[in-house]
Amino acid sequence: MCQLMGMNCNVPTDICFSFEGFRRRGGETDHHADGWGIGFFEGRGCRLFIDWQASTASPIAELVRSYPIKSTNVISHIRKATVGKVSLANTHPFLRELWGQYWLFAHNGDLKTLPALSAERFLPVGDTDSEHAFCWLLEQLSARFPAKPDAATLQTALSELAAELSRHGTLNFLLSNGEWLAAHCATNLHYIVRKAPFGQAHLIDQDISVDFDALTTPNDRVALIATQPLTDNEAWTKMQTGELVVFVDGQPTR
């Protein structure tokens, strides 16, 4: 299956260190070589990079690795194609607008069946089960709430919709509207919250370490979410099957 990575922080932060390890899983340390993408929220905008090439061979990935784009919400995906051909249209993350905000979505899993869409506002461009699922989620939210609801109501709705969609197959996903980042686990998702006192981190997929104490302030807080842990000297938390965690300002809420 695919690989997911997300970041949610209380201050704009770059993801260069984590991305350096993560992108190695796109054809070097793992076999996910059917495209990749990453999206960065910046204010009300979203900077999106996608490529059908493997992340280890993509010039765009090299740009992202060396360009310290700072963001409070980031979603990245490395694809192992199971449904839909290898193409730009089928490359995650997928981007849509709802309630005057951009929404970003990436999925890891295989949906055996798909719920029907009304064929009105939210339609897939490609032919993946993942983009179809994203359109369905937004369609259901739009039908329930003509205007954006409060955070607690929205989180409850997302939990209910994720549980319903999970009946169709394996549903690991990351979702963000730039204010928070939601992670839903079916099989494998892990997270870590980095906060003071910061220490050193060492990548699993590349022999690189960084001392976060030298790069942060005592008030910084960063949550990193990934299909599998990205470092081998930090304590990652494994999410439970069916669990939805919403990260706000670098910390998990439920």
Side-chain angles (χ1 to χ4, degrees), residues 118-129:
S118 68
E120 293 179 358
R121 181 177 173 191
F122 301 103
L123 294 173
V125 175
D127 53 6
T128 66
D129 53 343

Side-chain angles (χ1 to χ4, degrees), residues 5 14-30 36 38 40 55-58 60-67 74 76 78 194 201-210 212 224 229-231:
M5 180 179 71
D14 76 69
I15 201 169
C16 293
F17 172 71
S18 297
F19 183 73
E20 175 62 26
F22 182 67
R23 78 182 187 111
R24 300 290 169 184
R25 298 179 179 181
E28 186 174 303
T29 61
D30 214 329
W36 73 279
I38 189 168
F40 303 83
S55 56
T56 51
S58 168
I60 301 173
E62 184 61 28
L63 167 68
V64 172
R65 183 197 67 80
S66 59
Y67 183 16
V74 178
S76 187
I78 294 175
R194 295 182 179 132
H202 179 263
L203 292 174
I204 292 173
D205 299 270
Q206 184 89 333
D207 188 16
I208 297 177
S209 296
V210 67
F212 285 113
L224 192 68
L230 294 166
T231 57

Side-chain angles (χ1 to χ4, degrees), residues 154-231:
L154 181 55
Q155 186 168 338
T156 298
L158 282 175
S159 295
E160 293 170 355
L161 293 172
E164 184 175 347
L165 195 53
S166 293
R167 301 190 191 108
H168 294 266
T170 306
L171 187 72
N172 303 287
F173 72 74
L174 299 179
L175 174 71
S176 180
N177 68 349
E179 298 176 354
W180 42 259
L181 192 152
H184 181 267
C185 178
T187 52
N188 279 307
L189 265 184
H190 300 74
Y191 70 86
I192 185 170
V193 175
R194 295 182 179 132
K195 57 185 178 180
F198 292 94
Q200 274 208 347
H202 179 263
L203 292 174
I204 292 173
D205 299 270
Q206 184 89 333
D207 188 16
I208 297 177
S209 296
V210 67
D211 182 3
F212 285 113
D213 188 55
L215 303 173
T216 55
T217 74
N219 297 321
D220 292 355
R221 193 168 53 246
V222 178
L224 192 68
I225 307 98
T227 299
Q228 296 292 343
L230 294 166
T231 57

Side-chain angles (χ1 to χ4, degrees), residues 113-148:
T113 59
L114 294 171
L117 295 171
S118 68
E120 293 179 358
R121 181 177 173 191
F122 301 103
L123 294 173
V125 175
D127 53 6
T128 66
D129 53 343
S130 305
E131 188 182 17
H132 186 110
F134 181 34
C135 290
W136 182 85
L137 278 172
L138 295 184
E139 182 176 273
Q140 295 300 309
L141 288 173
S142 179
R144 288 192 185 197
F145 309 110
K148 181 182 174 184

